[in-house]
Amino acid sequence: MPDRKINESMICYDLKVSINNGVWQAEDPVTESFPLFVLQLTVIILISRLLFLVLKPLHQPRLIAEVLAGFIISPNMLGQFKSVQRIFPARGIMLIETVAYLGLVFYVFLTGLEMDLTAILRAGKRVMGIAMTGILIPMGIGMGLFFLLNHQSSNTTAVGCMFWAVALTITGFPVLTRILANLKLLHSDIGRIAMSVAMLNDIYTWVLIAILIPVGINLKTASYSLSALIVFVLICFFVVRPIVEKVIQFTSGDNYSEYYLCIVLTGALLCGSITDAIGAHSVVGAFLFGLIIPSGDLGDALLDRLDDFVSGIMLPLFFTSCGTRIDLTKIMEDTPWYIVVLVICLACMAKVLSSLTVSIIFNMPLKDGAALGVLLNTKGILALIILNVGRDKKILSHQYYTVMIVALLIMTIAVAPIMSAIHKSRKGLKHYILRTIQRSKLNTELRVLTCVHATANISGMISLLEVSHATKSSPMTVFALHLVELTGRASAMLIVHSTRKSGAHNPSRAQADSNVIINAFESFEQENHLVTVNPLTAMSPYGTMHEDICSLAEDKRVALILLPFHKLSTVDGRMGEENAAYRGINLNVLPNAPCSVGIFIDRGLAAAVRPGGPNDKVKCRFAMLFIGGPDDREALAYAWRMAGHPGISLTVVRFLPSEDVVADVESVNTNEEQGILEVVADTERQMTIDDNYINEFRLNTANDESIVYLEKVVSNGEETVSVISGMENCYDLYVVGKGQGVVSPLTLGLSDWSDCPELGTIGDVLVSSSFALHASVLVVQQYGSGGEAEERGMVTSIDGSRRERFGMRRRMRSSQSTKGMVLSDSDWPVGNNA
C-alpha cells in the first residue's frame, strides 16, 4: 500500500460521572463530570438572570441576556482567567452542548405544538405580500453582503451565502411577541401586522431550513435527503396524525397520564433522530412532530409541564453556547474594519428596506413601514440554529459566524428602544379625543368593550348590552373580551376569534369557556341586527391584565368599558365570596382607562329584563340616582340612552340640600384662604354644568311618559340612605355615578364605612350586605374625572367641612327655583309609567 500521511489528534481522559466516595475523600469535586455540570449550569443561569434584570428596563428579551452571558464566560473574556477555566474547561463543553441540543429539540417541539398552519389560509394579501417581500429582499441582500465580505477574505465556502441569506430573512416570532407585550404594542395596528407577518415568516422559514441544511451540507446527496424528508412529512401528516387523533378521542377529558406524555416526548426525540439521519437537522423532525399533534388538552398538558423547565433551564445552555463561540478577535480577519462595519449596517437595514418597499406598494405611511421593518428585525432561535449548523459543518468560518451573530444581536437589541421612542413620541403628539357617552353625538356609533371572566358573567352583560338601545342612527359595536389568566407561558397574547367553531376535539376549560362566551355573544348579535360583536380572548397575568384592557380600549376607540364586579350574586340576592384578582383588575383599570368605565353588579338582570324567558319582550324599570359631578352626568347620559328602549321605564332622582345646609353655608365667613376659594369656584362650576345638563335632559324628555324626574331634599348622608331605602324592590337596575372627587354633605360620613371604594359612596351603599336591596347596580366613572378628583383632593386637607358648605350655594339657588316640583316620600311612582 502506498504511504499515506495521517494527521490525526486523539484526546483521552478518564471520565468520572460523579463522586463515589463523597466530597471528603475526593481531591477536587469539580473534576467529576456531574458536579462540574451542575456548577456550570448554576453559573450560567445566575449570570443570564442577572443580565436580564439589568437589561429589563430597556425591554430586552431573555435571549440577549443569555447570549451575552455566554460571551462573558467565553475564552476571549473571563475565560482567560484560570479560575473560570476550572469551571468551564474544554472537556466540559461536550456535556453542555449535548444537554443544550436536547433542550433545543424539546423547545422546537413545543413551538410546533403552538403553531397554527391555518394562519396561511387566513392571511390577507397585504400580510402575505409583506411576508414574502420580507423574505426575498433580505435574502438577496444577505447573499450580496456575503460575497462583499468574501471578496476581501476567501476563507469560507460560497455555499455559506445561503446560510447568511436565510438568517437575515428570519423574524423571531416568540421574541417579537415578548417585545410587543413589554412595550404594550401587542394590540396596536402595527403590532398585529408585525405578529401576522412574523407568524407567516416562521412557517416559511421552517421550509427554508428543511431545504437549506441538506443542500448546504452535501449538494451531491441533497436530492436523496429531500426525497426522504418529503416521504417523512407525508407519513407524519397522513399516518401518525390520524393515530394521535384517535388516541385523543378515546381519552376522556384531560386525564392524560404520565404514560401518554412520555410516549409523546419519546416520539419527538425519535422524529428528531430520523430527520438527522436522513440529512436534515434534528429540530426539523421534532418541529414536525409537534405540528401534527392536534390542539387541545394534550398539547396544553405538555406545555404546562415542559415549558418552564425547557425554556428556563435547558434552552439557556444553547444560547450560552452560541455566545461562547463569538470571537471578536477574528471579526476583522483579513478584512478592513470599514467593510465589516458596512456589512453589519446593511444587514441591519435589510428588513427595513423590504418593509419600506412594501409600504410604497400598499400605500402605507412610510413611518409605519419603517416601524414595521424595525419590528421584523427581531431575531430568534431559528437564526442561531442556522448559523450554528453552518459553523459546525465548516460552511461558515469564525469570522463569518461572528459578523452575522453580532449583526443579529444589534438588530434585536435595537428593536425595543427604537419602538419605545417612536411609540412615546406618537403618544405625546397625539391629540386625544375625550371618549365618553355624554360627549358622544346622538347619531354616532356607540363602541363598548365588555369584559367577561367566566360564563357566569355572560347573561347579565348581554342583558345590559341589550337594554343599551342600539338604533339605526346610533348602532353598537361590542368587543366581547374574555379575560384568561396566563400561567406557564412566556408572553401575553390576544386572540381574535373569526369563528365560533373550535378545532380541538377535547378543548381545555379556558377554551371551552371561550366557546360558550363566543356562542352567546354571536347569538346576541344575530338577534340584534343593529349590534356588531367582535369576540376576543386576552391571555395575560392578572397583574398586567388591566394594561391589555386599556390598550385594547384605546386601539378600538371605545366610549365605555364594562367590567364585572369581583363578587357574584348568590341565590338570595346577596354577594358571594370576593375574588381578589378580579378586584385588582378593576382597581387598576379605573385610573388608567382611556374612556369611561362601568362596573356592573349583576343580581339577576337577565331574569328582570325578560321575566317570561328569552322569547319574552323587554319590560323593566330602571332608576338613576343623581348627586352631582362628572360621573353622575355620565351615568345619566347612559341611563338616558337606555330609556330610549321601548320596554324600559326610567326614574331619575336628583338629591338636593335642605335649607339648613344652605344656612350653614351662608354663615361661613367669605374671607377664606385662596385655596378654598378656588375649590368653591370649581364646585360652583360643576354645579352649573349639572344644572345645565339636567335642564337639557328634562327639556328633551318632557313628553316621554316612560321617564320620570324627581327631586329629593336631604340634609346629610343618613337621610340620603333613608330615601334610597324607600326605593327597595321598586327597580330592576340602579345606575349611579362613582362620584370621584365630589365631596357633598348629602353623602357625608358614608365613605367611612365603605367596603368597596371603587364603587363610590352611593354604589357601595347599594351593594352593601347591610342594605336590603337585591337589584342590579351599574356604577359609572366618566373619563377625566380622576384627574379632576386628584386636583380637588390636593386641597381637601385645608378645610374640608367649609369646602363642603361653600359648594352648596349654587345648588340651593337651583333648588329654590324648582321647589314646587320637589316630591315627598309618599310620591314615589308605582308601576312602569307612574
Side-chain angles (χ1 to χ4, degrees), residues 419-483:
M419 290 306 301
S420 179
I422 294 175
H423 179 61
K424 288 181 179 179
S425 62
R426 287 188 177 184
K427 191 172 183 180
L429 295 175
K430 181 179 178 182
H431 177 66
Y432 192 86
I433 301 175
L434 296 179
R435 289 191 280 262
T436 66
I437 299 177
Q438 181 187 355
R439 294 180 176 89
S440 300
K441 297 181 181 179
L442 298 177
N443 58 350
T444 56
E445 176 190 40
L446 176 63
R447 302 169 71 86
V448 180
L449 175 60
T450 304
C451 299
V452 177
H453 291 289
T455 54
N457 306 132
I458 298 175
S459 59
M461 281 294 187
I462 289 181
S463 298
L464 184 62
L465 293 171
E466 184 177 6
V467 298
S468 297
H469 190 45
T471 62
K472 290 183 179 180
S473 60
S474 181
M476 286 179 58
T477 296
V478 178
F479 299 94
L481 184 63
H482 181 204
L483 304 176

Side-chain angles (χ1 to χ4, degrees), residues 72 120 131 319 366 386 404 427 499 635 642 722 724 734 780 829:
I72 289 174
I120 298 178
F319 292 130
L366 292 179
I386 285 291
M404 185 52 66
K427 191 172 183 180
T499 175
M642 292 178 178
S722 178
I724 298 175
Y734 288 84
V780 180

Side-chain angles (χ1 to χ4, degrees), residues 39 45 112 176 185 202 297 385 387 399 462 498 515 632 726:
L39 179 61
I45 292 178
L176 176 62
L185 295 174
D202 246 17
D297 286 331
I385 291 174
L387 295 177
Q399 181 190 20
I462 289 181
S498 58
N515 292 339
D632 282 28

